[in-house]
């Protein structure tokens, strides 16, 4: 893998040289008759970037809310024409009406069979010298990247559309080389019904266009999974010089209040690992059906409104998406088997930002909760499961989203923290700064990370090498023995009060004044299992968990509610499951319900009507639990 890039450059160089002044007279080779195979470089793409990389994309799309279709053209510019005249792109459920040169000359193309996970390869025959082409196409109403919302599913009275391209969904709305190994710049013209506003992972408007036509450009090269579009009744409010929020009018001022510290976060991040490379950092709050907490679309993080707790207590999520501006968007995982390169580094960076802003005690709470998540996911997947390796070995039949877990996040975090604690923070920070600089706007796989770590940090120190246990982390299961164990002093009073409560003190008598939501989460996670109805009532009477506006706490509480058949939880669970589409909450709650026959019955009943309100990504996960 590691040498591929060099080989690729050589190929480009030769291709480029042979074109200079020679009129590119390579003999056209015949298309091999074999069916398209997944890329040698990325098991989750059909594309052949080793033959020709897409360097620039120009989208011209019309958004049709009635038909739930995007239609128009994608024009692709290649760095050099493929030597065998064959370009393969990824698509999924796209209707391709024509492929042509930019002057309109039609080009022969075929849509291969493909598979369920990867979609269909679009094979295009290009004449010699062709460095640009145009594809006329439309999306399917069931495109997996797109969620079309009715006005009832929003906070206003207009329909809404948003995309979610990571991991391999971009191909369902743009024909592209859908692999994080390839980067391109892009520009777009998007036509929407006025008065709606369109925003993208690009330069963005702050005012509505009366004709509904918006133009965008993204001048820094990005991988396809960072292509993003949202259309709705959106307004903008500034929160700082480089920062601001977009949201529906009913949510805007609440969102701007909650995110008032964003500019300070950008500054803290720059202080740690170097200049912010993307000009602006804005956050778009989506309607509640957004399936993730956040998505690091460049220049414009997409976020769930479930972090608007009203007390700025869930901002680590913004720190996380901001941190991706370095780890992920600048230095990108080469394949989805290397996801920890994006997510593990980002969790590490997120906690460093939170430490800079809120202090060490605060970030240690996040880290300890993270360790609990790590233990839970290892327990769930099994201590010897290959899915607990940092580097995964998924093949082309397996959608990376189907095995999404906390492993790349928390095991990745604890590896980096183990390195930090072994070599010292100063030395590790120097390494990270040079890492972000060295690999900016490139994609690297786990092997490349290891080789740069060994070269730039370990530097031949044999005892350091053996102390780090890198193989155990990367290709071994479970939690390696040199993992740091976190002990947050802020959780000590929580544990003391828990002990008082379990030994009979009434909940109302506990000393909980001034606890923040992480302390409450720690409390909720360590309640006894099972609890009696009397105990549940005692807690709820004192702390009103069933009606809390904090989504993290509600989720944790309702899990106890279901497990202990606590009657007031019934309507609350149903209300929560119908009010938002964040997979992180839907998945455990539906799973918990499904543990008993009556619960499964109820879960299926709720899901039957709620399913249509969830994003295809969440639907796929929940279908697996409830198999409707
Ligand atoms: N990039 C991820 C979301 C993602 C990962 C989407 C893999 C599809 C495939 C995003 O940055 C993320 O990690 N979101 C988390 C929040 C975070 C604070 C852990 C989420 O949505 O819960
Ligand atoms: Zn992330």
């Amino acid at each position: 893998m590691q040498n591929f890039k060099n080989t690729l450059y050589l190929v480009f160089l030769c291709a480029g040289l042979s074109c200079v002044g020679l009129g590119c007279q390579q003999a056209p080779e015949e298309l091999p008759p074999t069916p398209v195979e997944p890329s040698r470089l990325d098991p989750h793409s059909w594309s052949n970037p080793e033959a020709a990389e897409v360097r620039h994309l120009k989208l011209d799309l019309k958004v049709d809310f009635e038909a739930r279709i995007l239609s128009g053209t994608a024009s692709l510019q290649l760095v050099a024409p493929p030597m065998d005249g064959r370009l393969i792109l990824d698509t999924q459920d796209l209707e391709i009406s024509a492929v042509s040169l930019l002057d309109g000359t039609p080009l022969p193309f075929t849509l291969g069979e493909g598979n369920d996970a990867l979609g269909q390869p679009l094979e295009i025959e290009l004449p010699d010298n062709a460095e640009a082409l145009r594809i006329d196409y439309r999306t399917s109403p069931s495109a997996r990247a797109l969620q079309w919302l009715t006005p009832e599913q929003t906070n206003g009275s207009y329909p809404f559309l948003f995309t979610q391209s990571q991991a391999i969904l971009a191909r369902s709305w743009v024909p592209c080389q859908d692999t994080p190994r390839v980067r391109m710049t892009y520009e777009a013209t998007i036509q929407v019904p006025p008065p709606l506003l369109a925003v993208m992972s690009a330069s963005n408007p702050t005012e509505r266009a009366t004709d509904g036509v918006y133009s965008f450009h993204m001048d820094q090269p990005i991988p396809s999974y960072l292509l993003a579009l949202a259309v709705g009744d959106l307004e903008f409010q500034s929160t700082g010089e480089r920062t601001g929020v977009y949201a529906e009018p009913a949510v805007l001022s609440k969102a701007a209040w909650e995110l008032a510290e964003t500019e300070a976060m950008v500054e803290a991040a720059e202080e740690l690992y170097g200049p912010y490379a993307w000009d602006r950092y804005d956050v778009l709050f989506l309607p509640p059906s957004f399936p993730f907490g956040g998505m690091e679309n460049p220049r414009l993080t997409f976020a769930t409104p479930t972090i608007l707790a009203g007390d700025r207590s869930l901002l680590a999520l913004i720190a996380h998406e901001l941190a991706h501006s370095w780890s992920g968007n600048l230095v990108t995982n080469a394949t989805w088997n290397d996801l920890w390169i994006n997510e593990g580094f980002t969790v590490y960076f997120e906690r460093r930002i939170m430490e800079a802003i809120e202090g060490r005690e605060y970030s240690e709470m996040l880290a300890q909760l993270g360790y609990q998540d790590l233990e839970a996911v290892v327990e769930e997947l099994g201590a010897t499961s290959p899915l607990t390796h940092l580097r995964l070995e998924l093949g082309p039949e397996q959608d990376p989203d189907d095995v999404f877990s906390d492993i790349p996040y928390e095991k990745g975090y604890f590896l980096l923290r183990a390195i930090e604690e072994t070599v010292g923070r100063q030395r590790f920070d120097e390494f990270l700064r040079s890492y972000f600089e060295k690999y900016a706007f490139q994609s690297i796989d786990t092997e490349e990370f290891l080789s740069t770590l060994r070269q730039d940090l370990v530097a031949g120190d044999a005892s350091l090498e053996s102390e780090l246990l890198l193989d155990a982390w990367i290709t071994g299961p479970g939690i390696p023995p040199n993992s740091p164990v976190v002990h947050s002093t802020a959780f000590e009073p929580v544990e003391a009060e828990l002990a008082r409560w379990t030994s009979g003190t009434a909940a109302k008598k506990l000393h909980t004044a001034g606890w923040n939501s992480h302390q409450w989460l720690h409390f909720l996670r360590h309640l006894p299992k099972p609890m009696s109805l009397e105990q549940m009532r005692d807690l709820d009477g004192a702390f009103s968990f069933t009606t809390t506006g904090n989504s993290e706490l509600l989720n944790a509480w309702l899990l106890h509610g279901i497990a202990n058949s606590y009657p007031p939880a019934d309507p609350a669970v149903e209300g929560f499951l119908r009010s938002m589409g964040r997979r992180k909450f839907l998945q455990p709650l539906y799973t918990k319900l499904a543990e008993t026959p009556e619960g499964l019955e109820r879960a299926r009943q709720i899901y039957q009507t709620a399913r249509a309100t969830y994003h295809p990504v969440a639907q796929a996960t929940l279908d697996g639990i409830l198999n409707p």
Side-chain angles (χ1 to χ4, degrees):
M1 264 329 173
Q2 212 174 308
N3 291 326
F4 158 70
K5 214 174 284 154
N6 298 338
T7 324
L8 189 67
Y9 286 145
L10 270 181
V11 171
F12 286 152
L13 197 64
C14 299
L17 283 178
S18 65
C19 286
V20 178
L22 296 177
C24 254
Q25 292 174 355
Q26 292 142 349
E29 282 168 42
E30 279 181 14
L31 275 184
T34 48
V36 177
E37 297 284 331
S39 163
R40 281 190 295 116
L41 306 164
D42 178 348
H44 296 111
S45 175
W46 300 113
S47 69
N48 60 342
E50 63 275 34
E53 277 193 44
V54 174
R55 274 299 150 85
H56 184 75
L57 162 72
K58 188 172 169 198
L59 283 175
D60 193 340
L61 295 175
K62 188 173 167 214
V63 180
D64 182 342
F65 278 95
E66 260 96 72
R68 302 195 153 189
I69 280 173
L70 303 179
S71 63
T73 62
S75 305
L76 308 178
Q77 239 163 55
L78 306 175
V79 71
M83 291 212 268
D84 68 355
R86 191 174 77 145
L87 182 72
I88 305 165
L89 300 174
D90 292 297
T91 73
Q92 188 162 52
D93 302 327
L94 295 182
E95 200 183 302
I96 311 286
S97 50
V99 181
S100 56
L101 295 176
L102 298 188
D103 67 6
T105 313
L107 296 174
F109 68 91
T110 47
L111 263 184
E113 197 179 324
N115 73 28
D116 252 15
L118 304 195
Q120 303 79 39
L122 170 62
E123 216 179 323
I124 300 164
E125 275 180 62
L126 287 172
D128 288 351
N129 300 329
E131 287 187 4
L133 65 151
R134 191 180 109 164
I135 300 164
D136 291 46
Y137 74 103
R138 57 178 52 212
T139 60
S140 150
S142 57
R144 287 192 209 176
L146 306 179
Q147 191 176 12
W148 301 86
L149 303 178
T150 61
E152 296 70 47
Q153 289 175 272
T154 73
N155 296 292
S157 42
Y158 291 94
F160 202 104
L161 163 70
F162 66 87
T163 65
Q164 168 59 40
S165 297
Q166 195 185 9
I168 56 169
L169 306 176
R171 62 193 70 177
S172 76
W173 70 287
V174 181
C176 61
Q177 295 178 324
D178 199 7
T179 166
R181 272 201 188 270
V182 175
R183 312 179 83 87
M184 65 201 167
T185 51
Y186 79 86
E187 66 196 288
T189 304
I190 308 286
Q191 191 187 332
V192 308
L196 300 188
L197 185 78
V199 288
M200 295 189 82
S201 51
S203 62
N204 274 309
T206 54
E207 301 290 340
R208 297 169 202 255
T210 45
D211 61 358
V213 178
Y214 296 90
S215 310
F216 303 87
H217 58 95
M218 168 45 86
D219 302 331
Q220 290 105 328
I222 60 160
S224 55
Y225 78 91
L226 295 175
L227 288 169
L229 166 70
V231 181
D233 179 19
L234 292 170
E235 286 178 356
F236 173 78
Q237 188 169 328
S238 170
T239 57
E241 212 175 301
R242 288 177 289 179
T243 58
V245 295
Y246 289 86
E248 292 181 273
V251 183
L252 189 65
S253 62
K254 186 175 182 181
W257 182 87
E258 200 94 17
L259 263 60
E261 286 161 35
T262 311
E263 192 82 30
M265 277 189 186
V266 179
E267 282 162 19
E270 289 187 307
E271 191 69 30
L272 284 163
Y273 301 123
Y276 179 73
W278 307 89
D279 304 342
R280 290 196 56 83
Y281 180 73
D282 295 316
V283 176
L284 165 66
F285 280 94
L286 293 157
S289 71
F290 184 55
F292 292 103
M295 177 64 213
E296 65 271 25
N297 297 316
R299 288 176 188 231
L300 185 65
T301 283
F302 283 21
T304 171
T306 61
I307 62 159
L308 299 173
D311 59 3
R312 298 180 181 159
S313 62
L314 301 178
L315 292 180
L317 184 133
I318 299 300
H320 179 95
E321 305 313 333
L322 169 64
H324 272 307
S325 307
W326 288 258
S327 43
N329 299 3
L330 264 194
V331 182
T332 305
N333 53 207
T335 77
W336 299 115
N337 284 330
D338 308 294
L339 178 64
W340 80 276
I341 294 269
N342 276 16
E343 298 300 344
F345 277 78
T346 297
V347 172
Y348 179 83
F349 195 170
E350 161 204 333
R351 292 186 182 147
R352 293 293 303 274
I353 294 172
M354 293 315 287
E355 179 181 329
I357 291 197
E358 301 286 347
R360 175 84 175 174
E361 195 177 58
Y362 189 97
S363 59
E364 284 296 88
M365 286 191 272
L366 299 176
Q368 193 170 335
L369 292 169
Y371 194 81
Q372 293 165 11
D373 291 334
L374 177 57
E375 288 182 313
V377 68
V378 168
E379 159 99 36
E380 185 196 322
L381 295 171
T384 57
S385 165
L387 292 177
T388 66
H389 300 187
L390 273 183
R391 195 196 126 76
L392 298 177
E393 307 274 354
L394 310 180
E397 302 295 328
Q398 209 161 15
D399 184 339
D401 201 56
D402 290 345
V403 299
F404 180 81
S405 84
D406 278 337
I407 289 289
Y409 291 79
E410 297 298 347
K411 189 172 177 182
Y413 168 78
F414 280 99
L415 165 59
L416 297 175
R417 182 161 166 156
I419 302 174
E420 181 208 307
E421 292 187 0
T422 309
V423 304
R425 180 172 275 194
Q426 199 187 340
R427 212 169 128 199
F428 190 50
D429 276 354
E430 273 163 32
F431 167 76
L432 286 178
R433 270 190 289 271
S434 72
Y435 166 82
F436 288 127
E437 213 176 328
K438 180 167 165 189
Y439 291 104
F441 296 107
Q442 295 181 46
S443 303
I444 72 167
D445 61 20
T446 302
E447 289 307 311
E448 279 170 83
F449 165 73
L450 286 176
S451 79
T452 194
L453 183 81
R454 289 189 164 119
Q455 193 181 323
D456 297 346
L457 193 75
V458 179
D461 180 340
S463 82
L464 174 56
E465 170 75 38
S466 68
E467 221 181 315
L468 291 178
L469 303 180
L470 293 169
D471 290 343
W473 285 93
I474 302 289
T475 53
I479 309 176
N482 64 333
S483 177
V485 178
V486 183
H487 179 82
S488 160
T489 50
F491 287 161
E492 284 169 8
V494 176
E495 285 155 21
E497 295 308 301
L498 264 169
R500 293 209 315 134
W501 183 71
T502 48
S503 56
T505 308
K508 273 202 164 65
K509 294 262 161 64
L510 299 181
H511 306 303
T512 61
W515 283 7
N516 68 21
S517 66
H518 310 299
Q519 291 169 302
W520 279 114
L521 190 58
H522 189 68
F523 181 85
L524 285 165
R525 284 182 176 188
H526 291 86
L527 287 171
K529 289 177 185 166
M531 286 183 283
S532 66
L533 285 184
E534 200 186 328
Q535 285 178 305
M536 291 289 292
R537 278 195 213 101
D538 181 42
L539 291 169
D540 212 10
F543 308 126
S544 309
F545 290 132
T546 303
T547 53
T548 175
N550 185 303
S551 56
E552 295 281 350
L553 303 185
L554 185 61
N555 178 53
W557 171 249
L558 292 178
L559 291 171
H560 290 293
I562 297 168
N564 297 306
S565 308
Y566 176 56
D570 282 354
V573 168
E574 177 159 358
F576 195 40
L577 292 174
R578 290 191 187 284
S579 72
M580 53 86 222
R582 188 174 172 188
R583 187 170 63 171
K584 178 185 173 184
F585 301 141
L586 296 177
Q587 186 174 12
L589 287 169
Y590 275 114
T591 304
K592 184 61 90 186
L593 281 173
E595 279 172 9
T596 64
E598 317 81 70
L600 180 60
E601 183 64 25
R602 256 196 87 219
R604 287 190 170 144
Q605 227 162 38
I606 298 170
Y607 190 52
Q608 199 178 17
T609 45
R611 187 179 186 277
T613 69
Y614 300 145
H615 189 281
V617 162
Q619 289 176 347
T621 304
L622 301 174
D623 287 353
I625 300 167
L626 304 168
N627 27 60

